[in-house]
Amino acid sequence: MTEKVHITIDGRTLDLPVLESTEGLNVVDVRGLIAEGIFTYDPGFLSTAACDSKVTYIDGDAGILLYRGYPIDQLAANSNHLEVSYLLLNGELPNEQELAEFEQEITNRMPVDKHFQHIFDGFTKDSHPMSMICAAVSGLASLYHEGFDIYNAEHRRDAALNLIAKIPTLAAMTYKKSQGEEFVDPDPSLNYAENFLHMCFGTKGEAPNVSPTIAAAMDRIFILHADHEQNASTSTVRLAGSTEANPYAAIAAGIAALWGPSHGGANEAVLDMLSEIGDESEIENYVGKAKDKNDPFRLMGFGHRVYKNFDPRATVMQDSCHAVLDELGVEDPLLKVAQKLEKIAREQEYFIERKLYPNVDFYSGITFKAIGIPVSMFTVLFTLGRMPGWITHWDEMLSEPFKIGRPRQLYLGPHARDYTDIKQR
Ligand code: SDX
């Protein structure tokens, strides 16, 4: 029996159906309100479900994150990024043959057309890597546009494989460009994370030399970033995709949204913040700034729209961070500042009552720094990890009937008025 919600406006009672979820909150279907001349109002979408989806589920209070029903800690401990990509795209874990074929397909598609690589000639050593990766992914649309039918499932799968395969290569190219070094081609003998590290830190023409521990930690970080339901960048991909835009362009829109320090840009902002704080003696001063309503400073890497207990990814990320630092024997003073900051945030009322806990970005930045990734590259790594999630949501939307996203507004502007000649103004 479908529940209903009754709202009474101007003496009229409207019955709105309640749609039931398999996990988490049910939703009130407000689509019928426009016929009654009524809008809902929810800037920032705090109480709005923009779509239905079967991909990822987050329980913010319980600190639960499921990819197609599988808990993130189990996937991080037992799976790898390409198997997780297969799971997100197809809805089920692959058997051995399916995984082998998928991995081979991705390996075969990792190389980027030599002519296309000249897109990087337009940038300088100082160009921000997020600007480069956004342009490069958007540029892929120039290779895969003619004849692309977004309603053809095979065409959509081809785009998904291309994007998952080429994002590590393009990401490594942005790194090499920022270092002023020659690009390194992918090596088909390496796994996904090893190949990315080889293309970043290897030298053209030389045999790969990648630490298995670092590659395993990097692969785990990609898993943690693979999807996160309707976050700002995924919602951007869905909105851009709802206009029937080229998928590479829709994904580039998501990359642009991810760049912001309130979203994926936070991992870069965390390092900038820790460096600005400098050492433990300055922490109280900065915590005071974070609490000060008149000060725009926020503790980057803390807080989350959905997680109000803890971010399960941060817990796994912290373990990876320690594994990498132990492997490299790195005594990073910024880690000590980070650990002291986390302790203070867990003890002080301001953070506890606002449920501000470390999120996935808090430890990822320290880990990337220890590996030798420049701070400006951190959000590019987030882009790499999130690629399967974005393209899965795009594909999910396109595989069912959908409408172009077109929000309405609460208008607060002037009433209608007549144009006046400039001499009368
Ligand atoms: C990601 O959506 C996703 O799933 C995103 C993501 C993903 O995987 O896609 O998880 C990735 O983006 C993680 C978040 C990374 N961003 C940061 O670490 C930046 C710092 N965090 C904040 O900017 C903030 O916490 C947000 C943006 C993450 C969430 O903001 P909300 O939900 O809109 O909360 P809010 O701004 O309304 O804050 C509520 C209160 C306010 O205080 P009051 O007005 O109630 O007194 O908490 C305070 C805020 O001032 N607050 C903070 C704070 N975050 C919120 N105060 C100090 N430091 C912070 N970081």
Side-chain angles (χ1 to χ4, degrees), residues 354-411:
R354 289 169 182 79
K355 302 184 177 182
L356 301 176
Y357 296 86
N359 56 48
V360 67
D361 294 302
F362 188 65
Y363 284 102
S364 56
I366 297 164
T367 310
F368 292 151
K369 180 174 179 289
I371 294 173
I373 307 276
V375 174
S376 62
M377 275 290 293
F378 289 3
T379 312
V380 172
L381 299 190
F382 196 146
T383 299
L384 199 169
R386 184 54 53 91
M387 187 58 71
W390 284 330
I391 198 66
T392 293
H393 281 277
W394 174 80
D395 180 60
E396 180 180 58
M397 181 181 72
L398 269 294
S399 59
E400 297 157 2
F402 67 94
K403 297 185 82 59
I404 186 170
R406 204 296 189 193
R408 304 305 299 272
Q409 63 175 13
L410 171 66
Y411 176 69

Side-chain angles (χ1 to χ4, degrees), residues 280 283 331-342 366:
E280 296 179 48
I283 288 178
E331 277 292 311
D332 187 338
L334 295 187
L335 180 64
K336 295 208 182 321
V337 173
Q339 287 167 326
K340 179 77 182 293
L341 209 46
E342 183 185 4
I366 297 164

Side-chain angles (χ1 to χ4, degrees), residues 134-326:
C134 194
V137 171
S138 179
L140 288 177
S142 69
L143 305 179
Y144 306 104
H145 185 70
E146 292 318 311
F148 191 99
D149 176 4
I150 60 171
Y151 296 104
N152 179 320
E154 271 315 299
H155 289 196
R156 293 202 302 271
R157 176 177 167 74
D158 192 59
L161 293 171
N162 278 338
L163 282 158
I164 294 169
K166 298 183 188 306
I167 195 65
T169 313
L170 293 171
M173 287 175 174
T174 64
Y175 172 73
K176 283 300 194 188
K177 183 69 185 183
S178 67
Q179 301 299 305
E181 296 172 6
E182 275 196 287
F183 296 153
V184 172
D185 292 331
D187 180 324
S189 70
L190 301 176
N191 71 35
Y192 194 75
E194 288 170 343
N195 233 329
F196 170 66
L197 292 168
H198 168 57
M199 291 187 281
C200 283
F201 299 116
T203 305
K204 188 176 173 64
E206 289 186 11
N209 175 19
V210 178
S211 151
T213 308
I214 303 301
M218 186 63 80
D219 191 86
R220 197 174 309 118
I221 292 169
F222 293 155
I223 289 173
L224 296 177
H225 288 80
D227 194 49
H228 217 238
E229 64 167 56
Q230 307 309 320
N231 58 84
S233 52
T234 301
S235 298
T236 301
V237 170
R238 279 178 172 261
L239 189 57
S242 76
T243 70
E244 302 180 299
N246 178 294
Y248 300 89
I251 296 290
I255 296 174
L258 186 75
W259 193 356
S262 291
H263 189 13
N267 54 18
E268 178 179 350
V270 165
L271 255 291
D272 293 343
M273 173 189 74
L274 294 175
S275 304
E276 186 185 340
I277 292 173
D279 67 53
E280 296 179 48
S281 62
E282 276 299 303
I283 288 178
E284 278 301 341
N285 169 36
Y286 279 88
V287 168
K289 285 164 60 70
K291 297 177 190 173
D292 179 354
K293 282 274 147 277
N294 301 316
D295 189 324
F297 177 80
R298 286 195 160 183
L299 287 183
M300 303 316 282
F302 282 83
H304 198 277
R305 171 61 60 77
V306 178
Y307 289 123
K308 299 305 176 191
N309 186 334
F310 65 95
D311 182 338
R313 303 168 298 175
T315 310
V316 177
M317 195 65 249
Q318 189 178 21
D319 297 344
S320 285
C321 182
H322 287 303
V324 166
L325 293 180
D326 292 350

